[in-house]
């Protein structure tokens, strides 16, 4: 005599594996989307664009108070030291912009120096909190004579 109660087991229904895997896939997609959104959003907000002086002056109204970098050459005779830093003008030969630099400039800062200033427009003046001196990637110990540009009286930075 066999006991049917012992041999007959009611099969339990296993939860569908697809639903279980689908939860992981959905969670993974949501996490990847959130990370992508943070990375792209963070990069877009931290991007600092480089513009030549003429382009920056032309787009002054559209730029508003956005931070960007402006490249040009220090206008001879325009450097004026003030309590908060230095005031000077930069040009690219097509346009000129007045700059208020807050803080001390680097040692290589001088008239005709090719510079990059970082900041934003404050009305008609560019308010900068950072100044970089641009220079070529080649160094030679011998003195080179570089002809001055007619429009600025400074050496052409392309030939430095």
């Amino acid at each position: 005599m066999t006991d049917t109660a012992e041999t007959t087991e009611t099969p339990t229904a296993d939860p569908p594996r697809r639903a279980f895997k689908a939860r992981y896939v959905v969670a993974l997609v949501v996490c990847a989307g959130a990370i992508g959104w943070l990375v792209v959003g963070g990069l877009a907000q931290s991007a600092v664009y480089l513009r030549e002086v003429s382009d920056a002056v032309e787009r002054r109204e559209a730029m508003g108070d956005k931070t960007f970098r402006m490249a040009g050459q220090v206008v001879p005779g325009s450097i004026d030291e003030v309590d908060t830093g230095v005031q000077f003008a930069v040009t690219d030969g097509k346009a000129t912009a007045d700059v208020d630099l807050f803080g001390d400039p680097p040692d290589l800062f001088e008239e005709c120096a090719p510079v990059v200033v970082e900041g934003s427009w404050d009305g008609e003046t560019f308010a900068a909190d950072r100044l970089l001196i641009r220079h070529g990637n080649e160094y030679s110990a011998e003195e080179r004579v570089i002809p001055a540009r007619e429009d600025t009286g400074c050496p052409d930075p392309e030939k430095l």
Side-chain angles (χ1 to χ4, degrees):
M1 211 170 161
T2 59
D3 192 4
T4 57
E6 289 180 23
T7 58
T8 311
E9 291 182 18
T10 309
T12 58
D14 289 334
R17 287 199 149 285
R18 277 195 186 153
F20 186 69
K21 288 182 181 178
R23 278 189 260 167
Y24 282 120
V25 170
V26 168
L28 182 64
V29 168
V30 168
C31 288
I35 290 170
W37 181 74
L38 289 172
V39 168
V40 170
L43 290 176
Q45 289 179 356
S46 66
V48 178
Y49 296 99
L50 176 66
R51 300 192 181 280
E52 294 293 326
V53 175
S54 55
D55 185 37
V57 168
E58 182 180 313
R59 298 174 188 228
R60 183 179 307 167
E61 296 298 320
M63 295 296 293
D65 61 352
K66 293 179 186 171
T67 299
F68 67 98
R69 290 181 177 176
M70 182 169 58
Q73 199 168 34
V74 179
V75 175
S78 68
I79 299 174
D80 185 26
E81 292 187 28
V82 293
D83 292 339
T84 58
V86 180
Q87 295 175 338
F88 58 98
V90 292
T91 185
D92 62 357
K94 301 173 193 167
T96 302
D98 292 327
V99 177
D100 281 345
L101 174 67
F102 299 102
D104 294 329
D107 291 337
L108 296 175
F109 178 72
E110 60 185 17
E111 294 181 352
C112 297
V115 298
V116 175
V117 288
E118 184 175 326
S120 61
W121 288 112
D122 183 14
E124 297 290 314
T125 304
F126 188 79
D129 54 9
R130 188 171 186 196
L131 181 136
L132 306 168
I133 303 292
R134 290 178 25 183
H135 56 81
N137 59 353
E138 295 179 19
Y139 171 79
S140 69
E142 63 187 50
E143 287 272 334
R144 295 188 321 170
V145 177
I146 301 170
R149 291 175 44 171
E150 292 178 18
D151 56 349
T152 64
C154 296
D156 189 352
E158 300 296 323
K159 297 180 182 177
L160 289 178

